[in-house]
Amino acid sequence: MAQALRTPTEIAFAPGQVLRVYGMRRSGNHALIDWIMRNAKGGAGVFLNNCRPGRDPMKSKSALSLFENGKEVEAKNLRAKLQKAGNAPFAVVSYEDAMPAKERKPLYDAPEQCIVIYRSFLHWSASLLRKIQGNAGYGPLERMRVMMQAMRTYNQMLGRVRDTDVVPLCYDDWVSDETYRRTALDRIGLPGRNLGLGQVQRYGGGSSFQGRKAEVADLATTERSMQMAADLEYQLVLWTAARDLDFMLRLADVFPKDAERLSKLLETATAQVTLS
């Protein structure tokens, strides 16, 4: 029997199965979560978006969405949503720009899995920087501060996706390979009813490059690095990453092609400095 936890308004929430989902912003988190919800057992579930690590998800969430038959449904308030969800619903609890601790207490008295969503460094950093550049309140120094902080967490992520206590899901493989999507659902124990990529989600403002296009399949996600290649701030981000040995070793283990490109970039930059 799941133990009911209560929010400040005394709304009981006792899920029957929980997926904790961690991922960096601009890693396709919401695309994969939408896909997970479309394949939830019983066709229904509750999604708690962008919760705070170490706190009650119901108290720290930024939003709560209810899904039925693979689609988000409206309800007039939180209580109505949870009443519609019924007893012991399937639940996804997401955390952004954070990685799971090695030792974790269960969020609820229910079976729980931990998922880490990740994306190629070259495309992720291009997408994040483009998103930040759209913020009129950020100048170059502030943008670099945000990028460097995010890269520290990305470095932690490169180590965590190799650990056996998490299920890693690579956005690049997910978006390009239906077989990968089918196998991933098997790994997290969900029925493979819907292997489609779905629609671009409303969370996070959509794509950094293409806004809220209707279909994920329409997004040119494998072109992000090329689209930012001439951007001087992006070049600085890549050059900084290439000079960090610990980062490069981890990157080579997870994304060897990314590491190879960064190594060549560093060699070229070093040669130019030497010649000058």
Side-chain angles (χ1 to χ4, degrees), residues 183-198:
T183 301
L185 288 173
D186 289 339
R187 293 174 65 194
I188 56 181
L190 295 179
R193 293 188 304 269
N194 190 325
L195 298 178
L197 298 176

Side-chain angles (χ1 to χ4, degrees), residues 21 81 83 123 150 195 229 246:
V21 179
K81 288 181 180 181
Q83 287 175 343
H123 297 314
L195 298 178
D246 174 70

Side-chain angles (χ1 to χ4, degrees), residues 129 228-241 265:
L129 179 58
M228 290 289 284
D231 186 288
L232 293 179
E233 291 184 1
Y234 182 58
Q235 293 174 17
L236 177 59
V237 167
L238 298 188
W239 185 78
T240 302
L265 176 69

